Amino acid sequence: MGRRWRDGHGELVVHGGDGVPSVRVPLEVATSYRARTKGLLGRDALDGAILLSPANSVHTFRMRMPIDVAYLDRGLRVLTVRTMRPGRLGMPRFRARHVIEAMAGAMGEWGMREGARVEVVVPAEDG
């Protein structure tokens, strides 16, 4: 069930449970070492979310804003969601394969919580 994405843009779909509708959010995809390392550094805001893959931990050193962090397993199920202030080092989550970052408070509005399932939709490659 390995996933292969490329740096770029797409959409994050947070599937609601118990009759709650799914939420679609603009998504940046960061899979190269360079893109993952840069992440949200130097930004004051983010429209939507950013996916770091592969990743099982993050830090907020040199960030300008607090962020929500969701750790995902290989099946894109949320293991845990944390809010991190700037200047923090997150503990590695050993079952995590992907990390999603967003502005603090956004994930709660989207219904992203432990056990939620998400989907990453990227445009089909021309070929």
Side-chain angles (χ1 to χ4, degrees):
M1 196 176 223
R3 291 183 166 54
R4 296 264 184 206
W5 298 293
R6 293 184 178 198
D7 292 348
H9 292 86
E11 196 170 47
L12 176 70
V13 181
V14 181
H15 294 286
D18 301 325
V20 177
S22 297
V23 176
R24 300 177 89 81
V25 178
L27 181 69
E28 293 180 35
V29 179
T31 59
S32 68
Y33 176 78
R34 184 177 187 159
R36 288 190 326 263
T37 302
K38 183 175 184 220
L40 296 177
L41 295 178
R43 298 192 200 187
D44 293 319
L46 173 66
D47 179 31
I50 185 170
L51 168 72
L52 308 174
S53 179
N56 68 354
S57 67
V58 297
H59 68 82
T60 58
F61 299 120
R62 296 183 14 220
M63 285 196 184
R64 299 176 181 174
M65 60 189 171
I67 60 171
D68 284 347
V69 179
Y71 297 88
L72 309 178
D73 67 12
R74 69 179 76 243
L76 300 183
R77 193 158 299 274
V78 178
L79 298 171
T80 190
V81 177
R82 297 283 182 255
T83 300
M84 295 177 65
R85 294 188 329 242
R88 302 287 183 222
L89 177 63
M91 295 296 294
R93 309 291 176 181
F94 295 107
R95 289 183 35 226
R97 297 295 178 265
H98 319 283
V99 172
I100 295 177
E101 297 178 342
M103 299 281 291
M107 291 186 184
E109 293 174 12
W110 304 335
M112 188 177 290
R113 64 193 180 294
E114 184 178 333
R117 192 172 59 82
V118 301
E119 182 180 353
V120 174
V121 179
V122 293
E125 294 183 32
D126 296 330

